[in-house]
Amino acid sequence: MKFGEQLEEEIFPPWKLSYLAYNSLKEDLLRRQLDHKWNEEDESEFLNKLENELTKVYDFVTAKLGEVEARISHCERTIQTFIKNPSWSSEDMWMSMDDGLTEVLFDVNDLAKFSRLNYIGFQKIIKKHDKWTGLNLKQNFIPQLRSKPLDKQRFDVAIVFISALHDLCRQRGQSSTMISSISPHSASTSNDDTTKYWIHPDNITEVKSIIMLHLPLFIYNQSKKFEPSDCAVSNIYLDNAELGIYTNRLQRDEGAESIRLRWHGDMLTDMIRLECDTYQGDWNIANSIKEYIMIHQSDVNQFITGRLTSTELVNRLQSSENDGLSDQQLKLDECLRIATKIQSSIKENRLKPVCRVFYNRTVFKQPVDIKKGEEPICINIDNDVCFIREDDFDEKVRRGNNEWRRPDVGIDSPFPHLDDKEVHRFPYAVLEIKLPNNRKSDPPAWLANILESHLVHEVPRFSKYLHGVSYLFRKRLPLLPWWLSEMEVDIRKPRATNFGLSRSMSFKPLIDGQYRRAMQAENRRIEFVNDHLDNHAEDATTLNSDLEKQAAKQEDIDWENRPHRMQSTLVSKGDNPLNYGPLNEKKGKRRHKEEGEMGEEVVFSNGDIRLDMPSGKTPNDSNGNIPLKKVKVEPKVFFSNERTFISWLQFCALLLTVALNLLNFGDQVSRIAGAIFLVIAAGIAIYALYQFEKRAWMINHRIVGRYDDIWGPAVLCFLLVAALAVNFYLRFR
């Protein structure tokens, strides 16, 4: 699909005038090219138009972000008021606030798509300009794009604040039991069994938004106010000149190790996580054991070069007790074992810093009770992934003698100041999912829907380090990862279902094709029914058996005349449904017209199942009736009735026109025929009005009955044929 067509297809109608006028710029460029040779005046005018479009788009994004920030601040103040004054809040107020946050979330998602679509549009039109004119506008337009960046808008920051407020609404003002972070000086050993997916940039914000509706966003350092730099994660992997670590991991050798240095935030972070990742067990499920210790930034270079021994490092950690850490937190024996193992591996394999992997990470974690030994569902989304060289294999100095990382690289992704040979920018985001052992075979339904949807692309055993090395050092490698072929294809998939975030025809937020409250009500109903079925499985079996016996005895007596089970959505809650007579379930026809007059109340027999179960009742309770659920009547039902009435009136108007012509301009026979047609037209109009009012009354009262017209069309045809017959008789007698 051409980009112009894609742009027209993906435009959000309320913001249509704020999009880049791509087709207009393209047509102007082509028209000038066909009219005359491109000159300086053309170039100047085209550049002015391009700058105006950039200003228009950037100002719109800035204004919308300011609006989003103001709405988030308003929601935050309102929620704080509810928390401080519980008597001022109610269930409806909390739900309204949650709906307001959902609206903001949808706007953030739409704004992210708007920004990316326009950024791509500028790239496309500049590329066409350079191709058709032979000039290099791409380089000349860089200062304007940097001064008004569309590709560096951090919409995930807004998602962080929305998630925090959404979680408060979900807990009705009570903070969740968050997972405590591990002490920065501690040592730890953990199993790592994750599944990994790629997310196209077009879908990143939508995936984050969907996950946020089910899991709260986790912040590593909750002791301070969140900043965009808190999402930054930097990793420096160690390897040797032969890239032996890369080869062992790619070949999936038993016991293959990887050692890396990791820190969160900017370059001033003091504590660095030194981690050893060892693959063990069955490689088909890619299990690994992660062991790490936390060391000070100033000790890293001395430790990896061997000038600081493991024992000395542990002694320094022990002396840090004045930082407020207890002896129990230090776990000195564990620290010593892990430090010795890592330092021995560095020395034996002659490891040095080789590759830096940078990304902005968004973490979603399920609040659990750690004291009970519960494991959380953990989902990581890493975007803005970049791979940067840290080695000296080509004798190029990138680090000083006493430095363990490059000083010219910070967290300003995508690092435009670096040469393309020094950095590889990964085009997708990486989704990592870690489920508890008891949920691996049975993930939550919403998560399974995400993984099966068009939003993600599964890449088994994907490794950031292996991918980065395969691009930065490809000439030195005999083996390459299998997923490199996936980089040459478009991982986007067509939307096959209504899953995801969308808008209705009136631009109202839809989640999986449903309004949010309708979706929540359906989820609660399903959970309620499942819980009751699980708790009363044995009773349900017994009751079903009794019902079958009872039904078998009475089948010959009154089954044909038994009131049908109500399945209509046009029934008020608490009202008894209306009966239009006993139905023959096999033939679908009424029996005995004299029975079951209109408006007669249905008498439910034991075992009749209705909706909205009250407390203490089960779906299989043979002695209980369950009140019907009230569902809103859609406006399209009324409009459909109105359209039917107007169609009848149109036919009446046509027939009336014929009748008046015959009356005014015909002879005696024509006047008689015109009078007959006039009477028929008047009768049809009155009949159509009666049917319209009757159906409107039935819809308003939620009456379940026949809405089709059985006799009207037949009688109309008979009258028209009779009128024609009379006309022919009078004319040719």
Side-chain angles (χ1 to χ4, degrees):
M1 181 186 297
K2 294 183 178 180
F3 180 76
E5 298 175 356
Q6 179 187 352
L7 180 62
E8 291 295 328
E9 184 177 325
E10 297 185 11
I11 276 181
F12 184 40
W15 300 348
K16 184 174 183 179
L17 297 179
S18 300
Y19 281 82
L20 166 69
Y22 177 82
N23 289 329
S24 298
L25 290 173
K26 180 180 175 182
E27 291 173 2
D28 180 61
L29 186 62
L30 181 60
R31 179 181 57 80
R32 292 174 183 268
Q33 285 286 97
L34 296 176
D35 185 57
H36 57 269
K37 187 177 180 180
W38 192 265
N39 53 44
E40 292 183 1
E41 182 180 356
D42 295 331
E43 181 71 9
S44 177
E45 291 180 1
F46 182 81
L47 185 59
N48 288 334
K49 291 181 179 180
L50 202 60
E51 290 177 348
N52 290 336
E53 290 296 312
L54 178 61
T55 302
K56 178 186 72 175
V57 173
Y58 182 76
D59 289 347
F60 179 81
V61 173
T62 304
K64 279 295 179 181
L65 281 176
E67 179 183 330
V68 166
E69 183 179 357
R71 292 165 66 185
I72 292 175
S73 299
H74 170 72
C75 292
E76 182 179 10
R77 289 193 298 269
T78 305
I79 291 175
Q80 291 298 328
T81 302
F82 289 167
I83 295 174
K84 294 178 181 178
N85 304 278
S87 60
W88 293 9
S89 63
S90 64
E91 187 69 18
D92 288 340
M93 289 183 178
W94 282 113
M95 293 184 66
S96 297
M97 186 55 57
D98 208 2
D99 290 341
L101 289 170
T102 302
E103 287 272 6
V104 179
L105 183 65
F106 269 74
D107 285 347
V108 171
N109 181 53
D110 292 333
L111 194 58
K113 292 181 178 179
F114 173 89
S115 180
R116 173 164 175 78
L117 195 60
N118 282 281
Y119 178 71
I120 295 176
F122 280 106
Q123 290 182 318
K124 293 285 186 180
I125 196 64
I126 291 174
K127 183 177 180 181
K128 282 190 178 296
H129 169 276
D130 292 353
K131 179 181 179 181
W132 291 354
T133 64
L135 302 176
N136 192 3
L137 181 59
K138 182 177 180 180
Q139 290 295 328
N140 298 332
F141 203 66
I142 286 178
Q144 289 89 328
L145 289 176
R146 288 182 178 176
S147 64
K148 299 175 181 177
L150 296 175
D151 59 328
K152 289 189 177 182
Q153 302 296 331
R154 295 293 302 276
F155 300 103
D156 50 349
V157 177
I159 293 178
V160 171
F161 292 109
I162 296 174
S163 174
L165 297 177
H166 176 75
D167 192 46
L168 284 174
C169 288
R170 185 163 40 196
Q171 302 295 330
R172 298 301 183 257
Q174 302 295 326
S175 59
S176 302
T177 305
M178 299 304 295
I179 306 165
S180 60
S181 59
I182 300 175
S183 172
H185 288 67
S186 66
S188 178
T189 302
S190 62
N191 290 321
D192 183 30
D193 183 12
T194 61
T195 53
K196 298 181 180 180
Y197 301 80
W198 289 351
I199 308 175
H200 194 276
D202 293 349
N203 303 323
I204 294 175
T205 306
E206 183 173 357
V207 173
K208 290 182 179 180
S209 301
I210 295 174
I211 297 175
M212 191 219 72
L213 294 173
H214 300 88
L215 291 181
L217 195 142
F218 179 75
I219 300 176
Y220 285 97
N221 189 356
Q222 302 178 26
S223 61
K224 70 180 188 68
K225 185 177 180 180
F226 176 81
E227 298 176 357
S229 60
D230 293 341
C231 295
V233 180
S234 302
N235 303 267
I236 294 183
Y237 287 85
L238 277 62
D239 209 331
N240 50 38
E242 295 79 23
L243 298 174
I245 299 296
Y246 166 88
T247 304
N248 293 338
R249 288 173 61 84
L250 185 60
Q251 294 179 156
R252 295 181 288 173
D253 295 338
E254 180 68 22
E257 292 181 344
S258 70
I259 297 176
R260 66 180 176 184
L261 298 155
R262 168 184 286 190
W263 68 95
H264 294 264
D266 55 26
M267 305 297 288
L268 300 178
T269 303
D270 182 48
M271 299 307 300
I272 307 297
R273 172 166 160 165
L274 181 57
E275 181 180 295
C276 179
D277 190 359
T278 307
Y279 280 95
Q280 294 182 354
D282 188 0
W283 266 93
N284 291 327
I285 56 177
N287 281 329
S288 66
I289 304 298
K290 287 186 177 180
E291 301 173 302
Y292 67 88
I293 58 174
M294 306 296 294
I295 65 176
H296 289 279
Q297 180 185 146
S298 57
D299 296 334
V300 172
N301 190 65
Q302 294 182 2
F303 181 77
I304 63 178
T305 56
R307 289 178 290 174
L308 179 67
T309 64
S310 302
T311 304
E312 292 173 343
L313 175 64
V314 172
N315 291 335
R316 291 190 180 185
L317 294 179
Q318 186 176 12
S319 64
S320 301
E321 186 176 353
N322 55 6
D323 292 341
L325 300 170
S326 62
D327 292 337
Q328 289 78 8
Q329 289 175 308
L330 293 177
K331 302 179 182 178
L332 297 180
D333 294 339
E334 186 71 6
C335 282
L336 181 60
R337 183 188 68 80
I338 296 175
T340 302
K341 175 184 177 181
I342 293 176
Q343 193 167 50
S344 298
S345 179
I346 293 175
K347 183 177 180 180
E348 292 174 3
N349 297 301
R350 307 184 309 280
L351 303 182
K352 296 180 180 180
V354 168
C355 177
R356 180 185 301 197
V357 181
F358 172 85
Y359 45 82
N360 287 304
R361 167 163 288 187
T362 306
V363 181
F364 300 91
K365 276 190 179 182
Q366 179 184 24
V368 296
D369 190 349
I370 303 177
K371 295 181 180 179
K372 295 182 180 179
E374 298 179 356
E375 296 182 50
I377 297 176
C378 183
I379 299 178
N380 301 330
I381 298 181
D382 302 333
N383 52 286
D384 303 326
V385 183
C386 294
F387 306 96
I388 304 168
R389 293 187 65 167
E390 292 275 353
D391 66 287
D392 56 359
F393 298 157
D394 54 359
E395 298 183 356
K396 181 178 179 179
V397 178
R398 297 183 175 89
R399 296 176 285 108
N401 294 330
N402 296 322
E403 294 176 332
W404 55 276
R405 62 185 177 187
R406 295 178 62 157
D408 60 331
V409 176
I411 60 173
D412 53 336
S413 175
F415 309 101
H417 62 283
L418 294 180
D419 188 85
D420 290 342
K421 296 181 180 179
E422 297 286 313
V423 59
H424 169 62
R425 300 169 182 90
F426 191 62
Y428 307 124
V430 180
L431 171 67
E432 299 180 355
I433 299 174
K434 185 175 182 180
L435 296 174
N437 293 327
N438 59 343
R439 299 296 301 273
K440 290 179 180 178
S441 59
D442 184 27
W446 61 267
L447 181 57
N449 290 335
I450 292 178
L451 302 184
E452 295 172 359
S453 71
H454 64 285
L455 299 174
V456 299
H457 180 73
E458 185 175 6
V459 188
R461 305 192 188 97
F462 174 75
S463 167
K464 298 187 188 73
Y465 172 64
L466 296 183
H467 185 86
V469 171
S470 66
Y471 268 88
L472 297 176
F473 305 97
R474 181 164 298 187
K475 295 181 179 180
R476 304 171 64 94
L477 301 174
L479 299 175
L480 296 174
W482 71 270
W483 59 78
L484 292 187
S485 58
E486 298 288 294
M487 298 290 294
E488 300 176 359
V489 300
D490 190 351
I491 66 172
R492 287 176 292 185
K493 308 169 189 174
R495 184 186 290 267
T497 63
N498 286 331
F499 178 78
L501 306 183
S502 58
R503 298 269 187 177
S504 66
M505 296 297 293
S506 58
F507 310 118
K508 296 294 184 181
L510 296 178
I511 302 175
D512 299 345
Q514 301 179 359
Y515 291 104
R516 182 174 171 274
R517 291 201 181 189
M519 184 191 71
Q520 291 178 339
E522 179 67 11
N523 291 338
R524 286 196 298 269
R525 186 190 69 80
I526 293 174
E527 292 176 0
F528 181 81
V529 173
N530 290 338
D531 291 342
H532 277 262
L533 290 177
D534 292 339
N535 295 334
H536 303 282
E538 296 181 0
D539 295 341
T541 303
T542 304
L543 290 173
N544 284 335
S545 178
D546 295 340
L547 288 174
E548 290 175 0
K549 295 178 181 179
Q550 181 181 358
K553 292 179 181 179
Q554 297 188 3
E555 182 177 6
D556 297 332
I557 301 175
D558 61 351
W559 175 255
E560 296 295 336
N561 294 329
R562 183 179 179 181
H564 65 289
R565 295 183 178 184
M566 308 302 295
Q567 296 179 348
S568 173
T569 59
L570 301 177
V571 185
S572 300
K573 182 176 181 180
D575 296 339
N576 287 325
L578 302 177
N579 185 19
Y580 287 89
L583 297 182
N584 184 327
E585 186 164 309
K586 296 181 180 179
K587 299 181 180 180
K589 297 181 179 180
R590 290 183 58 179
R591 298 182 60 195
H592 310 298
K593 295 182 180 180
E594 67 274 14
E595 297 179 3
E597 296 180 354
M598 183 174 178
E600 178 182 354
E601 292 187 353
V602 175
V603 180
F604 278 84
S605 302
N606 288 342
D608 277 339
I609 298 177
R610 299 162 69 182
L611 302 177
D612 271 350
M613 294 176 289
S615 58
K617 302 293 181 182
T618 67
N620 298 306
D621 192 345
S622 60
N623 297 316
N625 287 336
I626 302 169
L628 288 166
K629 180 180 180 181
K630 180 178 179 181
V631 179
K632 179 182 177 182
V633 180
E634 294 291 339
K636 63 182 179 182
V637 179
F638 295 95
F639 297 147
S640 177
N641 182 35
E642 188 176 80
R643 285 195 300 270
T644 304
F645 175 56
I646 293 174
S647 297
W648 280 82
L649 290 185
Q650 287 176 342
F651 181 80
C652 292
L654 178 63
L655 196 61
L656 182 61
T657 302
V658 174
L660 292 176
N661 278 281
L662 291 175
L663 285 172
N664 294 324
F665 304 105
D667 54 11
Q668 184 65 24
V669 174
S670 299
R671 290 190 182 96
I672 295 174
I676 296 175
F677 282 120
L678 183 64
V679 173
I680 293 176
I684 293 174
I686 295 173
Y687 176 80
L689 179 61
Y690 166 77
Q691 285 289 84
F692 170 77
E693 294 293 343
K694 176 187 173 183
R695 288 170 178 155
W697 181 83
M698 292 173 65
I699 293 172
N700 283 323
H701 289 77
R702 273 72 165 176
I703 294 178
V704 181
R706 297 196 63 159
Y707 285 79
D708 57 335
D709 193 350
I710 301 176
W711 300 106
V715 172
L716 174 61
C717 292
F718 174 79
L719 292 176
L720 291 178
V721 172
L724 290 174
V726 171
N727 186 33
F728 277 104
Y729 171 77
L730 294 175
R731 176 64 65 184
F732 300 106
R733 65 179 176 175

